[in-house]
Amino acid sequence: MASSSSLSISQAIVAGALNHRGSTNSSDRLPLRSFTIPTFSGLKSTTSAASCPSRLGSARRRLCRRLAVQAASVETLEKTETTLIEKSVNTIRFLAVDSVEKANSGHPGLPMGCAPMGHVLYDEFMKFNPRTPTGSIVIALFSLPDMDACFSTLCFTLLATTVSGFVHFLNFLWELALYVFGSLCGFAKEEDLKSFRQWGSTTPGHPENFETPGVEVTTGPLGQGIANAVGLALAERHLAARFNKPDNEIVDHYTYVILGDGCQMEGVAHEACSLAGHWGLGKLIALYDDNHISIDGDTEIAFTENVDLRFEALGWHVIWVTTTIGYGSPNKSNSYSVHGSALGPKELDATRKNLRWPYEPFHVPEDVKKHWSRHVPEGAALEAEWNAQFAEYERKYKEEAAVLKSLINGELPAGWEKALPTYTPESPAEATRNSSQQCLNALANVLPGLLGGSADLASSNLSVMKQFGNFQKGTPEERNVRFGVREHGMGAICNGIVLHCPGLIPYCATFFVFTDYLRLP
Amino acid sequence: MASSSSLSISQAIVAGALNHRGSTNSSDRLPLRSFTIPTFSGLKSTTSAASCPSRLGSARRRLCRRLAVQAASVETLEKTETTLIEKSVNTIRFLAVDSVEKANSGHPGLPMGCAPMGHVLYDEFMKFNPRTPTGSIVIALFSLPDMDACFSTLCFTLLATTVSGFVHFLNFLWELALYVFGSLCGFAKEEDLKSFRQWGSTTPGHPENFETPGVEVTTGPLGQGIANAVGLALAERHLAARFNKPDNEIVDHYTYVILGDGCQMEGVAHEACSLAGHWGLGKLIALYDDNHISIDGDTEIAFTENVDLRFEALGWHVIWVTTTIGYGSPNKSNSYSVHGSALGPKELDATRKNLRWPYEPFHVPEDVKKHWSRHVPEGAALEAEWNAQFAEYERKYKEEAAVLKSLINGELPAGWEKALPTYTPESPAEATRNSSQQCLNALANVLPGLLGGSADLASSNLSVMKQFGNFQKGTPEERNVRFGVREHGMGAICNGIVLHCPGLIPYCATFFVFTDYLRLP
């Protein structure tokens, strides 16, 4: 069983593309079929690098190629120069499986299937300084009271998902990343992984950003992650448009998000993805973990839509591959049984044999440790580089730098509250939405991070900041966000915006009756 | 202004089509472009009948042709044999506009644009007996304590919508239909229309099925209507599969639904439409009122996805035309200003001139009255025909007829409650979901209308009826419904099922935390 496909990755990339209502013939859009990565049903060492679309931006093209190469190299299991990577990927797999086994609770299926995908991103794409999880350039898994870092790096939103149908948090990739960055880079400890899901540990099964240092987004029910990610990507696009200079692109990072079959089914995900396409958030990259398994069985039971065609309709570029849940487990892979329970000693043993993994639980081979340790000096250099870039920015653009810094740090301007209108019992009576509008517009003058809008009710609930235009594909520096009739997506996107940096203050508006559509954002 | 396009209708027809994950090449699917109806930007008397796809079922093909012909005939405004139809359509327009004007409240924009579409359906497609709004074969707008009728007719689900962004109920088509069927056929009164939106009237702006006789579905926020319609269509498919015989197809009707741009944006609509495609509910026909106007302005502000491509991805056949909001109003058509306010005396006068309508408010020309009055004898004949068919069915299939009758009437079998297990304080402790499963499975044996399922948590919340298989495209007679991870759509679909006939008892299940996703269904 395990000799079948180990890795396949689905990547859906938002087009920085065209408004194409009623038309699929966009010169800015890549033909759907021309860059589909083969699904690697066999063990051929095939690279699909050549199939990566030439029109994609360089970072996306590079990721596309690496995912393809990685797919091939890990699948072949040949004793080639890829052996170290294979070993590193299996390290991640077994750290995850061992953690679940020790806790006798957790979700081993996704990490076994998605380990190569995470490996490519963590090891090759994300820029971070593992020595400074707070106050560094890492936004990945690690919270950033000082968010400077975020602005010079890839922004990895680990709003993970295992299979459809369950509350999805970061449990898999949390395990994975915690160990890889913890044990190998030194700011998290092996003990954290060994106490996974134990009372009082910092590694609960379902992390919360306000409970566990290093978790930047508390994800919730399916579909929230991708919607939060749209908010994070919106924030990057907005800040880049406002603060970048021709000689200094101080805000410049990608947002990656992993979503699964279940996330795809949720309406909130559709709402957010439709908006992402509309806004042309080309630096949002979604990795679709299509393992074809849901809690009720094969996803064919309830989910047979043509996902790539749908995303093309929403304005996304789509690259399609698939993953295998529980890869490596001879008797449980590709089945629901590997989703949310420990493998059990017998199957774990069989999996070790199957993947030729002779080590004790929680073991990290020395060469793998050495491989990862390079991120320490590299990360320090990246942080120093960005800090120098910001110093240069500050020197040349003093005023903008001060505002950007206040947004990053979440500092409100002194005396901002004085801008608010004063009401007394003698004030003439007026509709509360009028008062709301007056306050909103007064605050918009003094709070540089205020942005937001309504779910197509702006003229009714008076939620427009009159001094600004609309945040749109061509005008991302503007601050009125038009969410359309998408209450649920609106709420989740606003959560993503505020999580990007504390000085961005999103607001959203609808009628009270529709707050029920907005729950659990 | 009014001389531009008066009518264009978008029709999206669910394919009885294939599971086509990852493939757009389905032999059962019509090529998207091959049957797009021209949008009639000019006034040419063009018929697109020839472009209606030959593979569609005969009813759908006939509707497609009629919509195209009607579009042409009404647009041309020529003094041809279409004059009566034109007059009839304008009667509907002005009845709606006059009602809004009298109440100084309401939504005139949609009826002015969609009147021709409603005309085709009411005058040519729906089968009903206007003399027996309760207990007849009408399911359209009219409630059916005795639902026999429903099973021999087209089922018109008026879950209308005007433009995006607002609570949409049946206000337009309710006005329209109330008058047409009321004033012309005699079971509703002209006074009802004149008291539109007045305290104590039977014609509130937002009808409720439990308040107003004749309203079968209380619709709510955008997106609910199409999801309710999926439930109605599911019910038809299920009952047809269980009760029809080769010599007697006693259950056989279509479900029509009108949805607008705002409905399209809502996640709940997407969830339901994805399921409709998955289940292949080919007798659900959605008319997409794409007037391109939302409360915040042109829908381009927030909605630029390729809707036809997306629906193709969901497994629907798509025919695309558009409507013009407020058609006929020289200064307000095609703008938000005509959506939710009375035209005002000056503009109403200009509209009368523009559409060459010389009549007083609420006037129905005699030839229009005569045209509609033919539905009385025709409806009586249709009802008699179906009653005869049912009598024949009862004679040959006594047992099935008794069950079907009980479903239609909502009568529970005598002693059904005796099937429930008994629990006492001495009963061994067990998880409540186990008890729930025991009760559910016991009831499934005695309640022929019990059907339902879970949002991909069936194995967790134990909501499977073990004696039945899954309701799927190929097995619609089965009673376990697999909703996928679509809580919101699930709730709204179940509402549609129970509204189809009171003997169908849908249940749905998820974890408590996800009930927030399920609100306002």
Side-chain angles (χ1 to χ4, degrees):
Chain A
M1 187 94 182
S3 63
S4 73
S5 70
S6 82
L7 165 75
S8 33
I9 294 161
S10 175
Q11 183 194 29
I13 302 176
V14 174
L18 299 179
N19 168 343
H20 63 297
R21 173 186 274 266
S23 160
T24 63
N25 185 12
S26 154
S27 61
D28 199 321
R29 172 179 308 283
L30 292 160
L32 183 64
R33 298 292 162 209
S34 72
F35 56 100
T36 298
I37 297 178
T39 51
F40 299 104
S41 61
L43 295 180
K44 292 277 165 59
S45 176
T46 306
T47 167
S48 294
S51 70
C52 292
S54 61
R55 284 196 194 122
L56 293 177
S58 63
R60 283 182 289 171
R61 196 163 57 242
R62 194 163 63 89
L63 174 62
C64 168
R65 285 193 181 131
R66 280 303 302 134
L67 291 171
V69 171
Q70 186 78 332
S73 66
V74 177
E75 275 200 342
T76 57
L77 300 181
E78 286 167 10
K79 298 293 171 197
T80 67
E81 72 283 4
T82 65
T83 304
L84 176 60
I85 302 298
E86 174 199 332
K87 204 190 247 186
S88 184
V89 168
N90 279 337
T91 303
I92 293 158
R93 284 194 175 112
F94 281 98
L95 284 171
V97 168
D98 290 339
S99 301
V100 174
E101 202 65 22
K102 186 164 192 307
N104 196 25
S105 171
H107 299 81
L110 184 141
M112 297 170 81
C114 288
M117 176 161 73
H119 197 283
V120 169
L121 287 166
Y122 272 94
D123 193 42
E124 301 182 43
F125 275 79
M126 290 203 297
K127 297 174 187 169
F128 57 90
N129 183 352
R131 290 292 184 204
T132 50
T134 57
S136 81
I137 55 168
V138 179
I139 193 171
L141 277 180
F142 311 102
S143 69
L144 289 177
D146 168 1
M147 296 283 285
D148 288 34
C150 158
F151 299 95
S152 71
T153 183
L154 297 174
C155 174
F156 194 177
T157 312
L158 278 180
L159 309 166
T161 155
T162 55
V163 295
S164 31
F166 216 76
V167 186
H168 280 306
F169 304 87
L170 312 186
N171 51 348
F172 148 56
L173 283 166
W174 170 252
E175 296 163 28
L176 177 160
L178 184 68
Y179 190 80
V180 170
F181 294 97
S183 179
L184 301 182
C185 303
F187 62 75
K189 297 181 184 58
E190 191 176 306
E191 288 75 59
D192 294 334
L193 200 54
K194 288 185 176 167
S195 61
F196 174 63
R197 288 191 167 221
Q198 302 310 301
W199 184 257
S201 81
T202 58
T203 51
H206 294 158
E208 310 262 13
N209 70 324
F210 51 85
E211 285 281 356
T212 307
V215 176
E216 55 165 343
V217 177
T218 293
T219 55
L222 291 179
Q224 294 293 328
I226 176 70
N228 292 162
V230 172
L232 289 162
L234 180 156
E236 194 273 345
R237 168 67 72 96
H238 175 68
L239 292 171
R242 278 173 68 181
F243 294 100
N244 283 356
K245 304 291 178 183
D247 64 343
N248 196 328
E249 300 204 342
I250 193 66
V251 181
D252 179 21
H253 61 265
Y254 283 75
T255 301
Y256 294 100
V257 61
I258 296 173
L259 68 164
D261 292 305
C263 308
Q264 298 277 20
M265 295 187 224
E266 289 285 9
V268 62
H270 174 70
E271 292 179 6
C273 289
S274 178
L275 280 171
H278 171 72
W279 289 326
L281 299 178
K283 290 166 83 177
L284 171 64
I285 298 185
L287 301 163
Y288 172 24
D289 169 30
D290 173 27
N291 60 33
H292 228 68
I293 298 293
S294 73
I295 288 181
D296 278 3
D298 192 295
T299 53
E300 294 285 331
I301 202 170
F303 186 58
T304 49
E305 64 183 57
N306 187 327
V307 173
D308 49 3
L309 193 62
R310 178 162 71 87
F311 271 76
E312 198 196 353
L314 300 185
W316 292 55
H317 292 303
V318 177
I319 303 171
W320 184 275
V321 200
T322 53
T323 61
T324 300
I325 191 170
Y327 176 78
S329 163
N331 303 304
K332 293 192 170 180
S333 73
N334 206 29
S335 77
Y336 168 63
S337 64
V338 78
H339 160 69
S341 315
L343 290 179
K346 202 175 149 192
E347 186 63 14
L348 182 52
D349 193 49
T351 305
R352 280 191 144 75
K353 284 197 179 67
N354 189 44
L355 292 180
R356 305 174 209 168
W357 194 252
Y359 307 108
E360 290 298 297
F362 296 100
H363 178 76
V364 181
E366 281 306 316
D367 48 354
V368 172
K369 269 189 189 159
K370 185 157 172 269
H371 176 76
W372 282 95
S373 67
R374 78 179 195 286
H375 289 291
V376 175
E378 281 181 14
L382 284 165
E383 183 174 359
E385 194 183 310
W386 190 82
N387 286 338
Q389 188 183 349
F390 187 77
E392 177 66 13
Y393 186 89
E394 204 164 19
R395 198 181 58 75
K396 287 184 74 173
Y397 309 106
K398 197 173 169 186
E399 207 174 309
E400 291 93 330
V403 176
L404 178 56
K405 215 168 188 172
S406 78
L407 294 180
I408 290 169
N409 296 329
E411 286 163 7
L412 300 180
W416 63 271
E417 71 280 5
K418 294 195 184 73
L420 284 168
T422 306
Y423 299 97
T424 69
E426 287 71 39
S427 301
E430 68 173 358
T432 50
R433 54 179 151 178
N434 282 323
S435 312
S436 167
Q437 187 181 35
Q438 286 161 15
C439 294
L440 181 69
N441 277 268
L443 290 174
N445 289 324
V446 293
L447 297 180
L450 193 66
L451 79 169
S454 178
D456 196 44
L457 284 171
S459 63
S460 289
N461 51 32
L462 305 181
S463 51
V464 168
M465 295 180 286
K466 294 175 181 172
Q467 55 275 67
F468 301 118
N470 293 333
F471 173 88
Q472 293 287 5
K473 195 186 291 183
T475 51
E477 72 283 5
E478 298 290 356
R479 287 158 58 181
N480 287 304
V481 185
R482 304 294 194 161
F483 291 100
V485 196
R486 302 180 183 96
E487 296 82 5
H488 207 172
M490 175 174 73
I493 288 169
C494 284
N495 278 0
I497 293 171
V498 75
L499 287 165
H500 189 275
C501 53
L504 285 180
I505 306 172
Y507 67 91
C508 65
T510 186
F511 286 152
F512 188 74
V513 66
F514 302 137
T515 54
D516 267 351
Y517 266 44
L518 222 156
R519 298 290 179 102
L520 281 176
Chain B
M1 189 95 183
S3 63
S4 73
S5 70
S6 82
L7 167 75
S8 31
I9 295 161
S10 177
Q11 183 194 28
I13 302 176
V14 174
L18 297 180
N19 168 342
H20 62 296
R21 172 185 276 265
S23 161
T24 61
N25 185 14
S26 154
S27 62
D28 199 319
R29 172 182 308 284
L30 292 160
L32 181 64
R33 299 291 162 210
S34 73
F35 57 98
T36 298
I37 297 179
T39 51
F40 299 104
S41 60
L43 295 180
K44 294 274 168 60
S45 178
T46 307
T47 168
S48 293
S51 69
C52 291
S54 61
R55 283 196 193 124
L56 294 177
S58 64
R60 282 182 289 171
R61 195 163 58 240
R62 195 163 64 88
L63 175 61
C64 167
R65 285 190 182 135
R66 281 301 302 133
L67 290 171
V69 171
Q70 185 78 331
S73 66
V74 177
E75 274 200 342
T76 58
L77 300 180
E78 287 166 10
K79 299 291 173 199
T80 67
E81 73 284 3
T82 65
T83 303
L84 176 61
I85 302 298
E86 175 199 331
K87 204 190 250 187
S88 183
V89 167
N90 280 337
T91 303
I92 293 159
R93 285 195 174 112
F94 282 98
L95 285 171
V97 168
D98 292 338
S99 303
V100 173
E101 203 66 22
K102 186 164 192 306
N104 196 25
S105 170
H107 299 81
L110 184 142
M112 297 171 80
C114 288
M117 177 161 72
H119 197 282
V120 169
L121 287 165
Y122 272 92
D123 193 42
E124 302 183 40
F125 275 79
M126 291 202 299
K127 297 175 188 168
F128 57 90
N129 184 353
R131 291 290 183 204
T132 49
T134 55
S136 80
I137 55 168
V138 179
I139 191 172
L141 278 180
F142 311 101
S143 66
L144 288 176
D146 168 1
M147 296 283 285
D148 289 34
C150 157
F151 299 96
S152 71
T153 183
L154 296 174
C155 174
F156 193 177
T157 313
L158 278 181
L159 309 166
T161 155
T162 56
V163 296
S164 30
F166 216 76
V167 186
H168 281 306
F169 302 87
L170 311 187
N171 51 346
F172 148 55
L173 283 166
W174 169 251
E175 296 162 28
L176 178 159
L178 183 68
Y179 190 80
V180 171
F181 293 97
S183 178
L184 301 184
C185 304
F187 63 76
K189 296 179 184 61
E190 191 176 305
E191 289 74 60
D192 295 333
L193 200 53
K194 288 185 175 166
S195 61
F196 173 63
R197 286 192 168 220
Q198 302 309 302
W199 185 257
S201 82
T202 58
T203 51
H206 295 160
E208 310 263 12
N209 70 324
F210 50 86
E211 285 282 356
T212 307
V215 176
E216 56 165 342
V217 176
T218 293
T219 55
L222 292 178
Q224 294 295 327
I226 176 69
N228 292 162
V230 171
L232 289 162
L234 180 155
E236 192 273 347
R237 168 68 70 96
H238 174 69
L239 292 171
R242 278 174 68 181
F243 293 100
N244 283 355
K245 303 289 180 187
D247 65 343
N248 196 329
E249 299 203 342
I250 193 66
V251 182
D252 179 21
H253 61 266
Y254 283 75
T255 300
Y256 294 101
V257 62
I258 296 175
L259 69 164
D261 293 305
C263 308
Q264 297 278 19
M265 297 188 221
E266 290 285 10
V268 63
H270 174 71
E271 292 178 6
C273 289
S274 178
L275 280 170
H278 171 72
W279 290 325
L281 298 178
K283 289 166 85 177
L284 171 64
I285 297 185
L287 300 162
Y288 172 24
D289 169 28
D290 173 28
N291 60 32
H292 228 66
I293 297 293
S294 74
I295 287 180
D296 279 3
D298 191 295
T299 53
E300 293 285 330
I301 202 170
F303 186 58
T304 50
E305 64 184 57
N306 187 328
V307 173
D308 49 2
L309 193 63
R310 177 161 73 86
F311 271 76
E312 198 196 355
L314 300 185
W316 291 56
H317 292 303
V318 176
I319 302 172
W320 184 276
V321 200
T322 52
T323 61
T324 300
I325 190 170
Y327 176 79
S329 164
N331 304 302
K332 293 191 170 181
S333 73
N334 205 29
S335 76
Y336 167 63
S337 63
V338 77
H339 160 70
S341 316
L343 288 179
K346 202 176 147 191
E347 185 65 14
L348 183 51
D349 192 49
T351 305
R352 279 191 146 73
K353 285 197 178 69
N354 190 43
L355 293 181
R356 304 173 210 170
W357 194 251
Y359 307 107
E360 289 299 295
F362 297 100
H363 179 76
V364 181
E366 282 306 316
D367 48 354
V368 173
K369 270 189 188 159
K370 184 161 174 267
H371 176 77
W372 283 94
S373 66
R374 79 178 195 285
H375 289 292
V376 175
E378 282 181 14
L382 284 165
E383 183 174 359
E385 193 182 309
W386 190 82
N387 287 338
Q389 187 183 350
F390 188 77
E392 177 67 14
Y393 185 90
E394 206 165 18
R395 197 182 57 77
K396 285 184 74 173
Y397 309 107
K398 197 174 171 184
E399 205 175 313
E400 291 92 330
V403 177
L404 178 56
K405 214 168 190 173
S406 77
L407 294 180
I408 291 169
N409 297 328
E411 285 162 9
L412 300 180
W416 63 271
E417 71 279 5
K418 294 194 184 75
L420 284 167
T422 306
Y423 300 97
T424 69
E426 288 70 41
S427 301
E430 70 174 355
T432 50
R433 56 179 149 177
N434 282 325
S435 312
S436 167
Q437 185 181 35
Q438 286 160 14
C439 294
L440 180 70
N441 277 269
L443 289 175
N445 288 326
V446 292
L447 297 180
L450 192 65
L451 80 168
S454 177
D456 195 44
L457 283 171
S459 62
S460 287
N461 51 32
L462 305 180
S463 50
V464 168
M465 295 179 287
K466 294 175 181 172
Q467 55 274 65
F468 301 117
N470 293 333
F471 174 88
Q472 294 286 6
K473 195 185 291 184
T475 51
E477 72 282 6
E478 297 289 355
R479 287 160 59 180
N480 288 302
V481 185
R482 304 294 193 161
F483 291 100
V485 195
R486 303 180 182 95
E487 296 83 4
H488 207 172
M490 174 175 73
I493 289 168
C494 283
N495 278 1
I497 293 171
V498 74
L499 286 165
H500 189 275
C501 54
L504 285 181
I505 306 172
Y507 67 90
C508 65
T510 185
F511 285 154
F512 187 75
V513 66
F514 302 137
T515 54
D516 268 350
Y517 266 43
L518 222 157
R519 297 288 178 104
L520 282 173

